[in-house]
Amino acid sequence: MGTVTHQKTADSVPSAVPSAGELELIALDCDRALVGFECRPDAEENARQVVVMLDHGEQLASAVMRLPESDRGVRVAGALQDWAELLDRGPGEGPFANWTYLRALARAVRSFTQFLQDRTRPRTVRPNR
């Protein structure tokens, strides 16, 4: 069971915020990664999901970082800090390190996704009575 590694390249990160449909698909990938212990993926599937989360996270963190800090909120600021630490630290050692790493990546990606979904969701205007 090898450790998954991933190197970022600045050219590989798309600059646009994903569409609402793309954000929904990313949210589904997060749900797949955040399953309980009894449903955890085998080593090969875990490695595939880590790569997917790293790709999603790079795209979403880039989109979030282009926004003014005052627009991000505490949750997103924490997710950005977690994201940077996860990329620096990697999965670690031990029998569940890669699975735990996947879940930590997915939690940060989920925070980015929910934030961007909230920003792009149409606002309902209620008429004054």
Side-chain angles (χ1 to χ4, degrees):
M1 324 279 166
T3 300
V4 175
T5 60
H6 182 76
Q7 284 188 305
K8 292 195 295 186
T9 59
D11 296 336
S12 70
V13 179
S15 60
V17 174
S19 68
E22 290 169 321
L23 289 171
E24 283 297 320
L25 293 173
I26 292 170
L28 289 173
D29 284 339
C30 291
D31 291 345
R32 273 187 220 99
L34 291 168
V35 297
F37 180 80
E38 63 282 345
C39 298
R40 71 189 183 283
D42 63 27
E44 186 176 322
E45 177 60 15
N46 192 97
R48 188 196 69 74
Q49 286 183 13
V50 166
V51 170
V52 168
M53 282 302 122
L54 289 167
D55 289 344
H56 290 329
E58 286 178 7
Q59 179 183 18
L60 298 179
S62 175
V64 167
M65 287 190 295
R66 283 193 306 276
L67 298 170
E69 280 186 50
S70 59
D71 291 352
R72 296 183 199 162
V74 175
R75 183 174 183 193
V76 172
L80 284 169
Q81 183 177 349
D82 291 347
W83 183 255
E85 289 174 11
L86 287 165
L87 293 180
D88 286 344
R89 187 178 63 222
E93 301 294 325
F96 299 108
N98 287 335
W99 182 62
T100 302
Y101 186 62
L102 169 61
R103 291 174 57 79
L105 292 170
R107 284 191 299 275
V109 170
R110 177 183 273 172
S111 292
F112 300 147
T113 302
Q114 289 173 341
F115 170 74
L116 292 170
Q117 285 174 322
D118 289 345
R119 285 185 59 85
T120 59
R121 189 170 289 128
R123 305 281 187 233
T124 305
V125 178
R126 295 187 177 132
N128 292 334
R129 292 188 177 203

